[in-house]
Amino acid sequence: MADKSSERTVLGSRFLGILLEKRKNGTFGEILSDWKWILQYSKRYRRSVAVYAFFGILSTSLSLLSAVAGKYTIDIITGYQTSKLALVLAVMIGSAFLSLGLSSLTSYVCTRISLRITTDIQAEIFSSVLDANWTAVNRFSSGDLLNRFQNDISVVSSNAISWLPDIGIGVYSFLATFFVIWHYDHVMALLALVSAPFLLFSSRRILGKLHRYNRELKKISSDLTTCEAEAFYNLDTVKSMGLTERFGAEFRSRQEVFRKASLDCSMFTIRARAVLSLLGSAVQMTAFCYCLYLLWSGKIVYGTMTLFLSQGSRLSSTFQKLVSTVPAFLTSSVSAHRIRELQELEKEPHLGCGDLSEEDKTHGLSVCAEDLHFSYSEHEIFSDVCFRANPGEIVALIGPSGEGKTTMLRLLLGLISPDRGSMYLKTGDGRKLPANADLRACFSYVPQGNTMLSGTIAENLRMGKADASDEELEQALRLACAWEFVSQLPEGMNSSMGERGRGFSEGQAQRIAIARAIVRNAPILLLDEATSALDADTEKQVLQNIMFRNPAQTCIVTTHRPSVLHLCSRAFLIRAGALQELSGDEVVRAAENIAAV
């Protein structure tokens, strides 16, 4: 992390100092590259962005016109020149209303484009993440992915529209306001010009400390949210282990920390606003005194004095807005860089399905591995492994936890690729198709754990086949031994399931997950501890139903249960990076060893 004490400030802004430092050390090019990426989205809506900029400049011009008309209105009233009063009032009121209308229209245009850019980026990044290499995606935590997907994209989308136009509008507003004041009095214009950076210099330290307060408050708020989420996500564990009071006390403790931090931040904000208000009042008082002198000496009239005071304040405000675009520039580049990291993730291999036909799928496919080597972060999982599962077989992968059973299934699915050797599907006529993303259409997969989504049972089942009929769903539920309890529900297959199958037992959720795989009706079925919550009789019936329905289906199961092994054609033991096929007697002994454990 950079040493804060070494950071330069330019025009009272640390962010300007950062920009110049990055230009010196050569990293400024990265920022420009990130902004080039942002501006590609701006170009898609360049007409709307141009309209936004035009409305902004027009709104600023009308505000100045209203201010000048207000000056003449006061001059007319104080000078009793009532003949032009109606015209000047009409100009002042009309320009004020038009400015307000344009401002509202500009906000609408900005919001509309921002939403479209947000959805565009989100759709592209969502697709990029889904199509990214499994190992590459898993380097990011789910919280980090969501933060980039939501917060960073929101920052980029808003600045993609407004950053450049806001600079143009700000420069125009600053120059126009300055020259309006200059037209009436040079000294007053220079006084207003100097007061702008003075206020910025004075407020910099206060705003910096306020930023640190807010950053710390967000961290504490995140800790509190984490405590809430973990308690709700693991509610069953919390309740079953009698941890409700402990979690309640922990939550109250974090609430107290958050309360104190909020109060400290609030008190500092109040004091900071008071100080800034005093500084602003001092600047305004100086300008007011000078205006009184001009008025007393007869150099200006009341209307001009009002114009000076209002537009002098506007000049300071516009200057601060211009300088504030620098942190927005840096923040957007950081967010863009974080999003680009997701967009540029290594993609999954798409090698196609070759000339695989429906007839090939009907006759069945073999799953094969030859001389396969695979490591996770230099930790060897498989070394010189060979494996084969044929149509009509139930093949078991067994072994201690953490030895690579699930990893083998990921290799089969093409989620990860072997370091050496090959993993492929083999057709009945001997053609070899390397495992890749496109071949996943040949697999039905039931992973470990509860994989149900919130929605109806039917909606969950149709994840396997979107156009499946009710008859197909019912048949799948019967084969998975789930129809008996589903048919007893008030709304049957249209009954709702909570998140992660809430409202159903683990065994019921597992059977619905198996039914979902059956609906897919792929030539290869992968069951990763998918029957662990079923009793032995139900487990046996489910596996027999699956193979009876499609005798040519290749079924691969990972299991710790001896009851499954008795149903398998063959079994492979995974241990210490090796894959050993077990003979009939060895399968029995393995089953007995598992049962003993």
Side-chain angles (χ1 to χ4, degrees):
M1 183 177 293
D3 181 8
K4 295 284 185 182
S5 62
S6 66
E7 291 178 351
R8 297 172 55 194
T9 59
V10 177
L11 292 178
S13 173
R14 180 170 59 86
F15 293 101
L16 281 172
I18 292 173
L19 274 182
L20 293 178
E21 187 63 29
K22 285 183 177 292
R23 186 175 184 275
K24 182 186 295 185
N25 62 28
T27 58
F28 188 71
E30 294 180 5
I31 297 177
L32 293 180
S33 178
D34 292 328
W35 263 96
K36 184 179 179 181
W37 180 84
I38 293 173
L39 293 177
Q40 69 175 315
Y41 291 98
S42 304
K43 289 179 181 177
R44 296 183 188 181
Y45 303 99
R46 53 185 175 271
R47 291 182 180 177
S48 299
V49 172
V51 170
Y52 169 83
F54 174 75
F55 284 166
I57 290 173
L58 187 57
S59 178
T60 297
S61 301
L62 289 171
S63 295
L64 282 171
L65 179 60
S66 178
V68 172
K71 165 206 162 353
Y72 282 108
T73 301
I74 294 173
D75 288 345
I76 289 171
I77 292 174
T78 55
Y80 303 103
Q81 299 175 12
T82 57
S83 60
K84 298 180 180 179
L85 179 59
L87 175 62
V88 174
L89 279 176
V91 171
M92 182 181 70
I93 295 172
S95 57
F97 272 104
L98 280 173
S99 177
L100 179 62
L102 285 173
S103 178
S104 300
L105 185 59
T106 302
S107 296
Y108 171 75
V109 170
C110 182
T111 301
R112 182 172 178 174
I113 307 172
S114 179
L115 287 172
R116 292 183 67 179
I117 292 179
T118 297
T119 53
D120 279 355
I121 299 177
Q122 283 183 337
E124 291 178 16
I125 300 305
F126 190 77
S127 297
S128 293
V129 171
L130 291 183
D131 193 42
N133 177 279
W134 184 88
T135 304
V137 173
N138 277 272
R139 289 199 294 265
F140 299 88
S141 68
S142 57
D144 187 29
L145 285 173
L146 287 172
N147 186 271
R148 293 171 188 241
F149 189 73
Q150 295 173 352
N151 297 337
D152 288 318
I153 287 178
S154 177
V155 169
V156 167
S157 63
S158 61
N159 284 296
I161 311 160
S162 61
W163 192 78
L164 283 175
D166 280 350
I167 288 180
I169 294 168
V171 169
Y172 171 79
S173 178
F174 184 84
L175 293 176
T177 303
F178 175 77
F179 283 114
V180 165
I181 300 174
W182 180 273
H183 173 74
Y184 291 101
D185 187 90
H186 296 356
V187 175
M188 187 63 200
L190 293 174
L191 181 62
L193 182 65
V194 172
S195 69
F198 171 74
L199 282 175
L200 188 67
F201 296 153
S202 303
S203 63
R204 179 177 58 85
R205 295 180 67 87
I206 294 173
L207 294 177
K209 190 170 182 180
L210 184 60
H211 175 71
R212 289 193 294 273
Y213 265 111
N214 283 319
R215 186 171 55 192
E216 181 63 23
L217 189 60
K218 285 184 178 181
K219 181 181 181 301
I220 295 171
S221 177
S222 294
D223 291 341
L224 182 62
T225 302
T226 299
C227 180
E228 296 169 0
E230 288 184 344
F232 293 148
Y233 188 81
N234 299 289
L235 188 60
D236 293 350
T237 303
V238 171
K239 294 173 75 66
S240 61
M241 295 182 66
L243 298 175
T244 52
E245 291 186 5
R246 179 175 172 180
F247 268 76
E250 174 68 15
F251 182 70
R252 286 189 291 273
S253 174
R254 296 195 185 198
Q255 275 187 315
E256 181 63 18
V257 173
F258 179 76
R259 186 187 68 84
K260 289 181 178 179
S262 297
L263 286 175
D264 289 343
C265 183
S266 179
M267 287 302 297
F268 181 79
T269 301
I270 292 170
R271 292 195 298 269
R273 285 176 178 171
V275 170
L276 292 176
S277 179
L278 287 173
L279 287 172
S281 297
V283 170
Q284 288 182 351
M285 185 58 68
T286 302
F288 181 69
C289 290
Y290 178 71
C291 286
L292 286 179
Y293 163 73
L294 294 178
L295 187 65
W296 177 71
S297 60
K299 294 180 180 179
I300 63 171
V301 291
Y302 290 111
T304 306
M305 177 179 176
T306 303
L307 180 69
F308 283 172
L309 294 176
S310 64
Q311 297 310 299
S313 176
R314 180 191 181 94
L315 198 68
S316 297
S317 173
T318 303
F319 181 82
Q320 291 189 43
K321 285 182 179 178
L322 278 173
V323 176
S324 70
T325 59
V326 177
F329 178 80
L330 288 173
T331 301
S332 295
S333 70
V334 171
S335 291
H337 195 80
R338 284 163 54 83
I339 298 169
R340 289 176 67 193
E341 285 180 339
L342 299 183
Q343 191 179 53
E344 295 167 4
L345 286 172
E346 179 187 353
K347 302 304 178 187
E348 288 189 310
H350 288 271
L351 306 178
C353 298
D355 54 355
L356 189 67
S357 66
E358 288 302 318
E359 185 178 355
D360 291 324
K361 295 179 183 179
T362 302
H363 288 127
L365 300 169
S366 297
V367 179
C368 308
E370 289 183 0
D371 305 322
L372 186 141
H373 295 255
F374 180 77
S375 301
Y376 274 132
S377 303
E378 300 183 358
H379 173 62
E380 189 176 68
I381 305 298
F382 295 120
S383 175
D384 197 24
V385 161
C386 292
F387 170 81
R388 184 182 179 95
N390 297 315
E393 291 185 324
I394 300 179
V395 176
L397 298 175
I398 64 174
S401 295
E403 289 292 332
K405 296 187 296 297
T406 300
T407 299
M408 178 60 75
L409 298 189
R410 288 172 180 157
L411 286 163
L412 294 176
L413 289 164
L415 293 171
I416 51 180
S417 301
D419 301 328
R420 297 201 308 275
S422 59
M423 177 72 73
Y424 59 88
L425 303 186
K426 189 173 183 180
T427 64
D429 58 6
R431 284 172 290 132
K432 296 180 181 180
L433 307 171
N436 69 91
D438 296 326
L439 281 181
R440 288 184 203 140
C442 299
F443 291 87
S444 291
Y445 177 43
V446 184
Q448 291 186 42
N450 193 323
T451 57
M452 294 295 99
L453 304 179
S454 57
T456 66
I457 295 173
E459 287 170 343
N460 271 276
L461 294 177
R462 286 194 172 97
M463 288 176 61
K465 182 182 178 183
D467 60 350
S469 65
D470 287 349
E471 290 73 20
E472 289 178 276
L473 302 187
E474 180 180 334
Q475 182 188 21
L477 288 168
R478 289 184 183 277
L479 292 172
C481 297
W483 179 249
E484 183 178 352
F485 72 83
V486 170
S487 62
Q488 299 300 314
L489 296 172
E491 297 182 66
M493 292 186 294
N494 294 314
S495 299
S496 295
M497 304 184 74
E499 183 182 8
R500 296 189 301 129
R502 188 170 297 279
F504 292 81
S505 71
E506 187 174 351
Q508 289 174 330
Q510 269 194 349
R511 279 177 277 176
I512 294 173
I514 293 170
R516 180 173 61 193
I518 292 172
V519 168
R520 187 170 171 83
N521 194 29
I524 304 167
L525 175 64
L526 306 180
L527 302 175
D528 192 2
E529 299 285 356
T531 59
S532 59
L534 307 184
D535 61 78
D537 291 338
T538 304
E539 179 182 60
K540 179 180 179 180
Q541 186 63 55
V542 168
L543 291 175
Q544 288 178 340
N545 289 346
I546 289 172
M547 299 311 294
F548 177 79
R549 176 179 185 265
N550 187 355
Q553 190 168 51
T554 305
C555 183
I556 301 173
V557 300
T558 69
T559 184
H560 288 92
R561 301 182 69 177
S563 56
V564 176
L565 296 180
H566 292 299
L567 301 171
C568 295
S569 311
R570 290 181 295 137
F572 289 84
L573 175 64
I574 297 178
R575 179 179 291 168
L579 192 67
Q580 176 190 355
E581 184 172 0
L582 304 179
S583 65
D585 292 340
E586 289 172 329
V587 172
V588 173
R589 285 196 296 272
E592 291 173 348
N593 290 335
I594 291 174
V597 174

